[in-house]
Amino acid sequence: MQKEDCIIVGGGPCGLSVAIALQGIGKDPLVIEKGNIVNSIYNYPTHQTFFSSSEKLAIGDVPFIIEERKPKRNQALTYYREVVKMKQLRIHRFETVEKVKKLSDDSFCVYTSAGTYEAKYVIIATGYYDHPNYMHIPGEGLDKVFHYFKEAHPYFDTDVVVIGGKNSAVDAALELHKAGARVTVLYRGSEYSKSIKPWILPEFDALVRNGDIHMEFQAEVTEITKDTVVYNRQGKEKRLKNDFVFAMTGYHPDHSFLEAMGIGIDRETGRPIYDEETKETNVEGVFIAGVIAAGNNANEIFIENGRFHGGEIAAAIAERERE
């Protein structure tokens, strides 16, 4: 069993910022990531532009300098690769953490797809992007249904339904329209979400008003078939001819992974039980960092505020070891 002082589960921006902060107190943490670094950002749509400005995505006191104010996906990937090289972070890539078990001596056994490790501290920074919110309706498992959107070109000259009304749905609808798809957006809300990026809403709304994108509010999807989408709107059932569906219904943290190691979960909010100042969970020695701390409300914690969790965790560990 390989012995480590600190293991960080997840190599996203917040996990990397924890590793850098732990270096600052003399630790040599190991990051274990099931993909490659910032895997969630890699899985963003290829055209993605961040909501945050580049300086708010910077970690480890490494400047994130670009000509534009808001970086694109590829610029962020380049930046975080350079941070990892500059800080010489230890990262085990393409290795999945399967279980974390507390040992009798207050250390932890971390079981992965490649082996086992013993660690004094474990920091969970797994995010939420890998776990879509399913609608649990007939046909959701069809090959034509996707919960992620990468790029629009394959859907040229097809009938596409986008389910949802927040940023990911609006972004997908715009890109699909630009690529020549016939786009319908079905959203259960009664008006545009207030979370939509202010610089894209005018363009999207203009396309809806001009009939270039068809949008239906108060639409509840009930079934997906091979060639239709069935939904209810104001008590009436409607059927829409359809080739592909993008169910952009949001994502959630992996509660089962946290609960298996003894971390409590608030049933109403989905938030793990943890100390706000130190980010230590109810399991002593296990900390959380990044958006996973927000539970089901992914709009509460972003890279721009989750990147500071590393400093809080490092300070808590340093204080404990001084004591």
Side-chain angles (χ1 to χ4, degrees):
M1 187 184 296
Q2 182 172 322
K3 290 195 173 184
E4 298 287 343
D5 199 20
C6 302
I7 286 180
I8 300 163
V9 184
C14 296
L16 298 179
S17 71
V18 174
I20 294 167
L22 289 172
Q23 284 182 334
I25 63 167
K27 302 293 186 183
D28 184 22
L30 173 65
V31 178
I32 303 178
E33 165 57 52
K34 71 178 185 316
N36 210 322
I37 63 163
V38 295
N39 192 61
S40 292
I41 294 176
Y42 167 73
N43 285 317
Y44 284 178
T46 53
H47 68 279
Q48 183 79 44
T49 298
F50 281 82
F51 188 93
S52 303
S53 57
S54 60
E55 67 267 18
K56 292 183 178 179
L57 299 177
I59 60 174
D61 295 323
V62 178
F64 187 175
I65 301 171
I66 56 172
E67 292 181 1
E68 309 91 344
R69 184 165 179 270
K70 297 178 184 297
K72 295 180 172 59
R73 166 185 170 274
N74 281 351
Q75 292 171 315
L77 293 175
T78 300
Y79 169 75
Y80 291 116
R81 290 198 302 265
E82 292 304 311
V83 169
V84 168
K85 287 193 291 184
M86 186 179 299
K87 297 296 184 178
Q88 298 182 328
L89 300 179
R90 288 198 304 137
I91 302 174
H92 284 193
R93 301 163 177 83
F94 307 107
E95 184 173 344
T96 301
V97 174
E98 297 167 344
K99 183 170 64 172
V100 177
K101 182 179 179 181
K102 192 156 192 171
L103 301 176
S104 57
D105 63 352
D106 289 333
S107 62
F108 297 89
C109 185
V110 179
Y111 299 83
T112 80
S113 56
T116 57
Y117 304 81
E118 184 179 343
K120 186 175 181 181
Y121 302 106
V122 175
I123 298 92
I124 308 298
T126 49
Y128 65 93
Y129 196 62
D130 295 325
H131 302 278
N133 295 328
Y134 292 110
M135 298 176 289
H136 303 292
I137 60 173
E140 190 172 13
L142 291 171
D143 290 342
K144 64 182 266 187
V145 181
F146 308 95
H147 288 87
Y148 298 91
F149 175 76
K150 192 73 173 178
E151 58 181 308
H153 172 75
Y155 310 101
F156 163 69
D157 197 28
T158 64
D159 294 303
V160 181
V161 166
V162 177
I163 302 171
K166 296 185 178 178
N167 282 308
S168 58
V170 171
D171 282 340
L174 286 171
E175 291 301 310
L176 288 162
H177 168 72
K178 290 174 187 175
R182 295 176 290 278
V183 182
T184 298
V185 179
L186 302 177
Y187 180 43
R188 63 185 179 183
S190 58
E191 59 184 18
Y192 288 126
S193 168
K194 291 180 172 56
S195 69
I196 297 176
K197 300 168 188 172
W199 62 88
I200 66 170
L201 182 56
E203 178 187 359
F204 179 75
D205 182 53
L207 290 170
V208 171
R209 286 187 284 106
N210 291 337
D212 296 309
I213 291 177
H214 179 63
M215 180 157 189
E216 294 221 35
F217 293 99
Q218 298 178 301
E220 193 77 33
V221 179
T222 58
E223 184 181 1
I224 300 169
T225 72
K226 183 179 178 181
D227 53 12
T228 63
V229 171
V230 184
Y231 63 100
N232 283 317
R233 186 173 185 273
Q234 297 178 333
K236 294 183 179 179
E237 183 178 274
K238 294 188 175 186
R239 288 180 176 268
L240 189 64
K241 179 180 175 296
N242 168 259
D243 297 310
F244 298 99
V245 174
F246 286 93
M248 312 307 290
T249 49
Y251 309 92
H252 64 270
D254 185 358
H255 293 139
S256 61
F257 178 68
L258 298 176
E259 289 176 312
M261 65 183 82
I263 298 173
I265 303 292
D266 183 283
R267 291 299 162 201
E268 184 175 342
T269 65
R271 288 168 64 96
I273 305 302
Y274 67 95
D275 185 291
E276 290 281 354
E277 292 185 6
T278 66
K279 300 300 180 287
E280 187 171 22
T281 69
N282 59 286
V283 179
E284 187 175 344
V286 177
F287 299 77
I288 54 174
V291 70
I292 194 170
N296 297 329
N297 184 10
N299 291 320
E300 180 181 327
I301 297 176
F302 307 90
I303 297 172
E304 64 181 64
N305 53 4
R307 62 186 173 146
F308 297 116
H309 293 174
E312 297 169 336
I313 293 168
I317 290 175
E319 177 63 25
R320 179 165 303 169
E321 299 203 338
R322 279 195 296 271
E323 293 174 352

